[in-house]
Amino acid sequence: PKYGKGFLFVPIVAGITILAVILGHVGPIAAGVPSQKIMNYIYIGFGVILLVLGLLLISNAVSESDILTKAQMGKLVTDGVYSRTRHPIYAGVIFICTAILFFSGNVYMYVLPVAYWGLLSYMMPRTEEKMLEDLFGEEYTEYADNTNRFVPLKKH
Protein backbone atom coordinates (compact mmCIF):
# COMPACT_ATOMS: atom_id res chain seq x y z
CA PRO A 1 0.00 0.00 0.00
CA LYS A 2 1.19 3.44 -0.86
CA TYR A 3 0.82 4.82 2.66
CA GLY A 4 0.73 1.65 4.79
CA LYS A 5 3.27 0.53 7.35
CA GLY A 6 4.87 -1.80 4.82
CA PHE A 7 5.77 1.18 2.67
CA LEU A 8 7.47 2.84 5.65
CA PHE A 9 9.58 -0.24 6.36
CA VAL A 10 12.33 0.57 3.84
CA PRO A 11 13.16 4.11 5.10
CA ILE A 12 12.90 2.97 8.73
CA VAL A 13 15.32 0.06 8.27
CA ALA A 14 17.67 2.07 6.05
CA GLY A 15 17.79 4.85 8.65
CA ILE A 16 18.42 2.46 11.51
CA THR A 17 21.18 0.76 9.50
CA ILE A 18 22.94 4.05 8.73
CA LEU A 19 22.65 5.17 12.35
CA ALA A 20 23.95 1.79 13.57
CA VAL A 21 26.99 1.98 11.30
CA ILE A 22 27.81 5.48 12.52
CA LEU A 23 27.25 4.70 16.20
CA GLY A 24 29.03 1.37 15.85
CA HIS A 25 32.34 3.13 15.47
CA VAL A 26 32.16 5.66 18.30
CA GLY A 27 32.10 5.43 22.08
CA PRO A 28 31.67 2.21 24.02
CA ILE A 29 29.77 0.49 21.21
CA ALA A 30 32.93 0.58 19.08
CA ALA A 31 34.23 -2.27 21.26
CA GLY A 32 32.14 -4.58 19.07
CA VAL A 33 34.59 -4.15 16.19
CA PRO A 34 37.10 -7.01 16.43
CA SER A 35 40.78 -6.16 16.37
CA GLN A 36 41.67 -9.31 14.39
CA LYS A 37 41.90 -8.55 10.67
CA ILE A 38 40.82 -12.09 9.70
CA MET A 39 37.44 -11.54 11.38
CA ASN A 40 36.95 -8.33 9.41
CA TYR A 41 37.58 -10.23 6.18
CA ILE A 42 35.09 -12.92 7.19
CA TYR A 43 32.45 -10.28 7.98
CA ILE A 44 33.09 -8.55 4.66
CA GLY A 45 32.77 -11.91 2.87
CA PHE A 46 29.38 -12.54 4.49
CA GLY A 47 28.41 -8.98 3.61
CA VAL A 48 29.27 -9.48 -0.06
CA ILE A 49 27.20 -12.67 -0.22
CA LEU A 50 24.21 -10.97 1.41
CA LEU A 51 24.56 -7.89 -0.78
CA VAL A 52 24.55 -9.99 -3.95
CA LEU A 53 21.55 -12.02 -2.75
CA GLY A 54 19.64 -8.85 -1.85
CA LEU A 55 20.35 -7.21 -5.18
CA LEU A 56 19.36 -10.39 -7.04
CA LEU A 57 16.07 -10.64 -5.15
CA ILE A 58 15.15 -7.05 -5.89
CA SER A 59 16.25 -7.07 -9.52
CA ASN A 60 14.45 -10.36 -10.19
CA ALA A 61 11.29 -9.02 -8.56
CA VAL A 62 11.34 -5.87 -10.65
CA SER A 63 12.60 -7.15 -14.00
CA GLU A 64 12.02 -10.91 -14.28
CA SER A 65 8.56 -10.86 -12.74
CA ASP A 66 7.72 -7.41 -14.14
CA ILE A 67 6.00 -6.53 -10.86
CA LEU A 68 5.42 -2.88 -11.73
CA THR A 69 3.51 -3.55 -14.95
CA LYS A 70 1.51 -6.46 -13.53
CA ALA A 71 0.59 -4.52 -10.39
CA GLN A 72 -0.65 -1.61 -12.51
CA MET A 73 -2.79 -4.08 -14.47
CA GLY A 74 -4.25 -5.40 -11.21
CA LYS A 75 -2.69 -8.86 -11.49
CA LEU A 76 -1.38 -10.94 -8.60
CA VAL A 77 2.25 -11.78 -9.36
CA THR A 78 3.11 -15.38 -8.53
CA ASP A 79 5.80 -16.22 -11.07
CA GLY A 80 9.58 -15.86 -11.04
CA VAL A 81 10.99 -15.01 -7.63
CA TYR A 82 7.42 -14.47 -6.40
CA SER A 83 6.89 -18.22 -6.72
CA ARG A 84 9.44 -18.61 -3.89
CA THR A 85 8.66 -15.63 -1.66
CA ARG A 86 5.72 -13.24 -1.37
CA HIS A 87 7.90 -10.22 -0.54
CA PRO A 88 11.25 -10.47 -2.37
CA ILE A 89 11.82 -6.72 -2.42
CA TYR A 90 11.48 -6.38 1.34
CA ALA A 91 13.62 -9.49 1.85
CA GLY A 92 16.21 -7.97 -0.50
CA VAL A 93 16.23 -4.74 1.52
CA ILE A 94 16.86 -6.72 4.70
CA PHE A 95 19.70 -8.64 3.03
CA ILE A 96 21.28 -5.38 1.80
CA CYS A 97 20.95 -3.66 5.19
CA THR A 98 22.40 -6.74 6.87
CA ALA A 99 25.29 -6.70 4.38
CA ILE A 100 26.00 -3.09 5.32
CA LEU A 101 26.03 -4.07 9.00
CA PHE A 102 28.50 -6.87 8.21
CA PHE A 103 30.69 -4.40 6.29
CA SER A 104 30.77 -2.18 9.37
CA GLY A 105 32.15 -5.14 11.34
CA ASN A 106 30.52 -4.31 14.69
CA VAL A 107 29.20 -7.54 16.20
CA TYR A 108 26.88 -5.62 18.51
CA MET A 109 24.88 -4.56 15.44
CA TYR A 110 24.22 -8.12 14.27
CA VAL A 111 21.09 -8.26 16.42
CA LEU A 112 19.45 -5.69 14.13
CA PRO A 113 18.64 -8.08 11.25
CA VAL A 114 16.61 -10.18 13.68
CA ALA A 115 14.75 -7.04 14.71
CA TYR A 116 14.23 -6.16 11.02
CA TRP A 117 12.67 -9.57 10.30
CA GLY A 118 10.49 -9.24 13.39
CA LEU A 119 9.33 -5.77 12.40
CA LEU A 120 8.58 -6.86 8.87
CA SER A 121 6.77 -9.98 10.10
CA TYR A 122 4.63 -7.73 12.28
CA MET A 123 3.95 -5.14 9.58
CA MET A 124 3.18 -7.24 6.50
CA PRO A 125 0.06 -9.10 7.71
CA ARG A 126 -1.43 -5.79 8.84
CA THR A 127 -0.71 -3.78 5.72
CA GLU A 128 0.30 -5.13 2.33
CA GLU A 129 -0.91 -8.70 2.88
CA LYS A 130 -4.26 -7.44 4.18
CA MET A 131 -4.62 -5.24 1.11
CA LEU A 132 -3.73 -8.13 -1.22
CA GLU A 133 -6.15 -10.45 0.54
CA ASP A 134 -8.93 -7.87 0.21
CA LEU A 135 -8.06 -7.31 -3.45
CA PHE A 136 -7.51 -10.90 -4.64
CA GLY A 137 -9.43 -12.95 -2.03
CA GLU A 138 -9.07 -16.72 -2.32
CA GLU A 139 -6.41 -16.45 -5.03
CA TYR A 140 -4.10 -14.59 -2.62
CA THR A 141 -4.98 -16.82 0.34
CA GLU A 142 -4.04 -19.93 -1.63
CA TYR A 143 -0.84 -18.26 -2.86
CA ALA A 144 0.07 -17.23 0.71
CA ASP A 145 -0.56 -20.76 1.99
CA ASN A 146 1.91 -22.16 -0.56
CA THR A 147 4.61 -19.47 -0.56
CA ASN A 148 6.98 -18.28 2.17
CA ARG A 149 6.57 -14.71 3.32
CA PHE A 150 10.25 -13.67 3.12
CA VAL A 151 12.55 -16.67 2.77
CA PRO A 152 13.11 -17.26 -0.95
CA LEU A 153 12.75 -21.05 -0.84
CA LYS A 154 9.94 -23.31 -1.99
CA LYS A 155 7.52 -24.03 0.85
CA HIS A 156 6.57 -27.53 -0.31
Side-chain angles (χ1 to χ4, degrees):
K2 187 171 182 181
Y3 302 105
K5 291 180 183 176
F7 180 76
L8 295 176
F9 177 79
V10 174
I12 290 169
V13 169
I16 290 171
T17 300
I18 292 167
L19 187 62
V21 169
I22 293 168
L23 294 178
H25 290 277
V26 296
I29 298 174
V33 177
S35 58
Q36 300 171 342
K37 289 280 187 207
I38 189 71
M39 291 308 294
N40 288 328
Y41 294 131
I42 291 170
Y43 296 153
I44 290 170
F46 280 128
V48 168
I49 291 168
L50 289 170
L51 179 65
V52 168
L53 288 173
L55 291 172
L56 284 172
L57 277 172
I58 293 171
S59 66
N60 283 341
V62 173
S63 63
E64 176 187 312
S65 297
D66 198 19
I67 183 68
L68 301 175
T69 303
K70 290 178 182 175
Q72 287 176 343
M73 294 171 31
K75 293 183 179 179
L76 179 63
V77 181
T78 61
D79 62 338
V81 71
Y82 284 89
S83 68
R84 297 184 177 277
T85 175
R86 299 192 307 266
H87 304 289
I89 295 173
Y90 291 121
V93 167
I94 289 177
F95 283 8
I96 291 169
C97 288
T98 302
I100 292 167
L101 293 171
F102 270 100
F103 293 150
S104 81
N106 191 319
V107 296
Y108 295 152
M109 301 302 153
Y110 296 166
V111 70
L112 288 175
V114 176
Y116 296 164
W117 284 102
L119 180 63
L120 194 54
S121 294
Y122 172 79
M123 293 171 89
M124 282 299 100
R126 291 161 181 78
T127 58
E128 198 162 313
E129 289 182 351
K130 177 73 174 119
M131 180 195 72
L132 291 168
E133 189 176 322
D134 291 346
L135 190 61
F136 295 107
E138 184 63 34
E139 181 184 9
Y140 181 76
T141 304
E142 185 178 322
Y143 168 65
D145 288 344
N146 295 310
T147 312
N148 286 322
R149 181 176 281 146
F150 306 119
V151 180
L153 299 172
K154 281 283 191 192
K155 202 171 191 180
H156 300 286

